[in-house]
Amino acid sequence: EYSGVLRYSEFPEDHYRLAVEMDPELANYYRALMPKYLRISQGRYKPHVTVVIFGRDVPKNLEYWGKYEGERVSFWYEPYIHEGQSYYWLRVLSIPLEEIRIELGLDLEIYAIPPKPWYKYFHLTLGNTKPL
């Protein structure tokens, strides 16, 4: 079990983002376990779990937008490193995050996009092998 802080962001043209910000040490630990020859880069963003995907999710119930700003939320993660295309991630499960998506009027059928294909769970991206 791990936890982080909920952070809401709103951008022009109906672009919304909600993520769980967390201490980067969890991602650092798992990256350190990966073979050096993979040349994993940390990525553009600090370690986080995406709840509302920027550019894809538009909440239907905006009266709840920002309701939990700054609150700490717990989640479970599997210690198995998943790999796909050029990304590496940990699978994340969280009933509270699912409840927030439902409250916002968002679908639970496909709620996270670790590099395609789409999977039915949240995730914590550890890094990628894209050129810098």
Side-chain angles (χ1 to χ4, degrees), residues 2 11-12 15-16 20 30 35-36 38 51 54 72-73 85 92 95 104 113 126-127 130:
Y2 210 71
F11 303 89
H15 283 79
Y16 298 87
V20 180
Y30 280 96
K36 301 296 180 222
L38 292 174
V51 182
F54 176 83
R72 185 160 290 280
V73 64
Q85 295 177 353
V92 170
I95 298 299
L104 290 170
I113 254 182
L126 300 173
K130 292 180 177 179

Side-chain angles (χ1 to χ4, degrees), residues 23-86:
D23 185 329
E25 288 309 306
L26 179 66
N28 292 343
Y29 171 76
Y30 280 96
R31 270 196 308 276
L33 296 175
M34 300 169 75
K36 301 296 180 222
Y37 69 84
L38 292 174
R39 297 182 184 197
I40 305 295
S41 65
Q42 182 174 331
R44 185 183 325 176
Y45 303 105
K46 293 180 183 177
H48 66 278
V49 176
T50 301
V51 182
V52 175
I53 301 170
F54 176 83
R56 196 196 84 185
D57 292 330
V58 179
K60 294 177 182 76
N61 304 326
L62 286 174
E63 65 270 21
Y64 299 110
W65 186 253
K67 179 177 177 181
Y68 304 104
E69 173 65 32
E71 289 189 20
R72 185 160 290 280
V73 64
S74 294
F75 56 87
W76 293 89
Y77 70 90
E78 292 181 348
Y80 175 78
I81 299 172
H82 293 269
E83 174 184 1
Q85 295 177 353
S86 62

